[in-house]
Amino acid sequence: MSRTTTRRSLSAAAAAERGQGGSSIDRQRRKLLVPFVGPAFIVYTLLFIIPAIGAAWISLHEWAGSGPMKFVGVKNYIRVFQDDLFMKSFGNTLLLLFVVGAAIFILAFAMTLVLRDMAGKKIVRNVIFFPHLINALVFGVLAGFIFNPGGMVNTLLKPFGVTEPPAWLAQDNIFPLIMATLVATTTGYFTTILMAGVDRIPPYYYEDCALAGANAWQRLRYVILPLTWDVFGTCAVLWTISSVKIFEIIWVFGGSSGAGIPPTQSWTTAVYTYVTAFSGQSTPAYGAATASAIISLALVSVLVVFLRRAMRRDAVEF
Amino acid sequence: MTTKFRFARTLAVMAGAALALSACGGGTNGSAGDGGTEGGTLSYWSMWKEGEQQQLIIARAIKDFEAETGATVNVQWQGRSNVQKLVPALNTNNVPDIVDGSYAKLAPILGDTGQALPLGDAYAAEVEGTKVSDLIPKKYLTANNILDADGTPWMLPYSLTSDGFWFDAAQHPELETAPPASWDDFIALLDKYKAEGKVPLAADGDIGGYNSMWFTTALVRTDGAGSFAKVVQDKTGAAWDAPNVLAAAKRVEQVVKGDYLIKGYNASKWPAQQQVWATGGAELMLNGSWIPTETGTYASEGFKFSSFPFPAEAGQPASVRADFGGWAIPKKAKNPELAQKLATFLLKKDYQDAYGTEAKVLPIRTDAATSPEMASVKKSIDGAKEIYLQNDGVTAPGYVEKVFWPINDELFLGKINAGEFVQKMKTATVQYWKDNS
């Protein structure tokens, strides 16, 4: 027993020694680690980690943003979780993450399949990517032109005898509209990334599929998905992170291009956080706002870890 | 050895860069700290953006101020979010010497938190031979609670905002001479327009703050200024059971159910409906005194802006909404004396007249000139016995935007009736105070 321990510690020491020495390239690499990673690490610590710790500290207080701070422990978290409005906003965030996410990836894969064999696919790719280049604010403002009672859609519907068109921008319809807009603007982005992965697949796999009589679905299931799994995984993480932060499109979609704030039906946790701290209508509650922000951060972290776990596969070499 | 040296050098360069950056940050503060002597420097974060009428007047005044005192005023024309931006700045040393904003925005940030400088000196100063405290009519001070814990005002107003039912006086000259004297008269007027095939009322239903004017004003009319705030403050929620609260909600319901509001008001995006109103698509609109400036650019030709107040209640004193817009100075300001001087400078008759006639808003001085658009509002303000504020002065954290507006929207957009509104507000208010006490 003691001998194995000694042997193990001996081999560990030997490994450590090898680590110290190693090849000259290894040594060179190690020396460069600090000057290369250091600056990024310092900037990251200063701009992200320290503020995040600061936010966690603020979330334990009752604070109007300036003046005296009162320590209240986890009361802000309890209050935020008891707030129906926060739970509704949280639900909306999850809707964006899962429902919009699912729609985006189903559409993106479908487009990938169609685009692969299509004539003029480069042009089409550019066209579907284009909406992503436009600031979400533009869509928020455009929504007014398109869906207002006297807007474009209703004007177009009039010749067809629609005199009682749906109340497009009613408070309850705004969130579904935002979801649809997000699908329309984000699908192209992920299609482009997935296409890059699909383009890497050697053509003989498809030829093999054709010879074996595989249909489009089987081709997706047995060739494209396994060979683009790592790309898809990265896309899923990217979407998770960005969806939890979605803010500006909601802010401008719901009646706030100049006055007021969006209807609570369309709030996400990001909007909830903003209104709690910066609404300008009442005394700011920085403690509750940061508590809500920290909860969002925790949500993203948990989901990303979970996603990485769930998506983990051995990379297929080809 | 050489790599170690190289590493040390990298660190040194980075440290130098960091110092240089922080020096940049410090430089701006330092320059403002020249003391309160003549010719000092002043930093001002403005609620106006370049090009706005109010901005042009303030810019002109600042130019005159600089010429007269030899001071330098560094202005940032930040726009309406200036007060929100002030909050994080208050925790640093980079605090502006003076800011402006509405009472509703400044009070929660500076006034209520004790971060505002008491403006005793400014109020004691003289402008063109009159003491500043005599230029600000006393009656506003009951509602605009600008006194700090020691009883000294922390805000120096230069303008007022009010509200009312706006209409085109070219179309309806009769409303200028004989506006509806009671709620019943008002409903009769709406019925008359409806019978004539006109759209009686326009409203941008997506703006919670406009929707809530109906209920708060209706309640203030029957129970007096501060009555809505009192109902909100009642932690037991019992105040919501008062008959007058339900009656006020019923008036809102009456307007909603009466089919007086423009079609699609519940599904449009501001400013769609006020545009329709300004181009003759509806007769009346309940909104703020900023409407002539805001809709002036697209109003139909010959549109003559005028307004009448929300109908009065028999036996109740005439009351009117009057929110202060004006100056506040953070306690941390580097140059508070000069800042107070600038604040009082804007009260000169010349600039106050320009405020009324060029910017077409309501100047704080009663003797200042006003534009014809504001004549009707000015008349009701001067004649009012009582003053109340937007949201009746309720600033409890999150109450207005998370409790009141969402439920009031349901009432105004026709999803619930008056009884349900009162019940929901009662439950939500009790819950609010349970969570926030």
Side-chain angles (χ1 to χ4, degrees), chain A residues 34 39 42 63 65-67 75 79 140 148-149 164 167 169-171 252-253 255 259 261 276 278-279 282-284 286, chain B residues 3 7 14 84 87 90-91 109 115 206-207 263-264 266-269 272 395-398 401-402 409 415 435-437:
Chain A
V34 174
I42 290 171
W63 190 39
S66 61
K75 201 178 147 208
R79 191 192 293 171
N148 262 331
E164 294 284 331
L169 291 176
Q171 289 188 337
V252 286
F253 228 96
I261 52 178
T276 308
F278 307 109
S279 83
S282 63
T283 311
Y286 269 51
Chain B
T3 24
F7 170 52
M14 266 163 22
Q84 274 118 302
V87 181
L90 283 174
N91 299 303
I109 307 288
Q115 301 274 317
D206 59 331
I207 308 293
K263 233 184 193 177
N266 58 345
S268 67
K269 208 163 144 49
T395 56
E401 26 339 1
K402 289 181 186 165
D409 278 356
K415 288 183 206 159
D435 294 343
N436 287 279
S437 52

